[in-house]
Amino acid sequence: MHLPLLTTFSQLIILISCYLMLSVNVLAQSEKLEIFEESADVGSPKLSGSAEYDAATQTYTVRGAGYNIWFKRDEFHYVYQKQRGDFVATAHFEFIGEGVDLHRKTGWMIRESLADTAVHISAVAHGDGLTVLQWRPEPGASMRDPEDEIFFPEKHLAILQLERKGAVITMRVANEGKPLQLVGSHTIDRLPDEICLGVFVCSHNPDVIEEATIREVQIDE
């Protein structure tokens, strides 16, 4: 007569145990990512990306695949947090290895949402050393043509900075030990007050995972 109750109680204990284990895993992941809240693939790339944080060296290692961050939709791996209001985000970016495609990308990204068609604006370092501020102005719109992007004349700049002041987004770059230099600014009105802010890697090749280290991460409000 009491067996169904015992079974129900046992199931309850199992459910509580699973919940506690899940909570521990979530906390461990949050601690591992340090200041960032989440690590996720955007756009369902063919190969899954990942991210790790080394507390001893204060370095993120981010791996990502994806066909591109371009046209009307994106594929990449994103390590991010929710951010409100104005801020200045600065970090040192470095690709690992020679890479497969010269247009592999890493950098800072401000994004309206995790939708692959979302409005976003990014401070991007390419595998060939190109540094550029690029954006999607409307949901599902094509990325701006090269003549509309804001390029920096020098290549292979390791330090990228992205600043938000209201609707105005500004990109600056530098090499180690050198002062930051202005790349340019763009006004993007479609971004809400709360956005996703983070770092990313895109391989520019759906069959390849590329890797970058990101250190000296600083977000000033």
Side-chain angles (χ1 to χ4, degrees):
M1 292 294 292
H2 297 288
L3 185 57
L5 180 60
L6 181 60
T7 301
T8 302
F9 180 74
S10 299
Q11 290 173 342
L12 179 61
I13 293 299
I14 292 172
L15 286 173
I16 292 173
S17 298
C18 291
Y19 174 79
L20 290 174
M21 290 177 64
L22 178 61
S23 299
V24 169
N25 287 336
V26 169
L27 288 172
Q29 177 72 355
S30 298
E31 182 179 356
K32 180 181 177 182
L33 294 176
E34 194 65 8
I35 66 173
F36 295 114
E37 298 166 355
E38 299 288 346
S39 171
D41 284 320
V42 173
S44 300
K46 182 178 178 181
L47 303 178
S48 298
S50 62
E52 300 171 0
Y53 178 72
D54 185 336
T57 61
Q58 298 183 344
T59 299
Y60 294 88
T61 301
V62 182
R63 304 172 189 88
Y67 92 98
N68 204 352
I69 302 172
W70 200 247
F71 301 116
K72 297 182 178 182
R73 60 175 297 273
D74 310 319
E75 290 181 1
F76 62 96
H77 193 75
Y78 197 27
V79 184
Y80 68 97
Q81 65 179 26
K82 294 294 182 68
Q83 184 78 33
R84 288 184 176 274
D86 297 342
F87 58 83
V88 180
T90 311
H92 182 288
F93 295 81
E94 183 176 356
F95 284 111
I96 297 176
E98 291 296 322
V100 174
D101 195 296
L102 291 177
H103 295 290
R104 60 180 174 163
K105 298 175 176 72
T106 187
W108 283 106
M109 180 181 291
I110 296 170
R111 197 169 185 89
E112 177 186 29
S113 72
L114 297 186
D116 59 353
T117 57
V119 173
H120 73 85
I121 184 164
S122 305
V124 183
H126 292 245
D128 64 355
L130 179 70
T131 51
V132 59
L133 181 67
Q134 60 186 51
W135 59 88
R136 177 179 292 114
E138 302 283 340
S142 291
M143 293 287 289
R144 306 309 300 172
D145 293 330
E147 58 267 25
D148 292 332
E149 295 181 294
I150 302 175
F151 296 83
F152 193 68
E154 298 178 32
K155 287 192 171 183
H156 301 289
L157 283 299
I159 299 170
L160 304 182
Q161 183 181 88
L162 202 57
E163 178 182 16
R164 181 182 189 180
K165 285 188 177 180
V168 180
I169 310 300
T170 300
M171 178 181 176
R172 300 180 185 88
V173 293
N175 273 322
E176 200 76 46
K178 301 293 184 180
L180 287 160
Q181 302 179 72
L182 177 67
V183 176
S185 299
H186 179 69
T187 300
I188 186 161
D189 295 316
R190 286 297 304 261
L191 289 172
D193 181 60
E194 182 178 85
I195 48 83
C196 299
L197 169 66
V199 297
F200 67 91
V201 169
C202 172
S203 66
H204 201 271
N205 185 324
D207 297 312
V208 172
I209 290 180
E210 295 285 4
E211 190 172 6
T213 57
I214 303 161
R215 57 184 173 84
E216 299 170 21
V217 176
Q218 186 172 340
I219 301 174
D220 298 315
E221 298 180 357

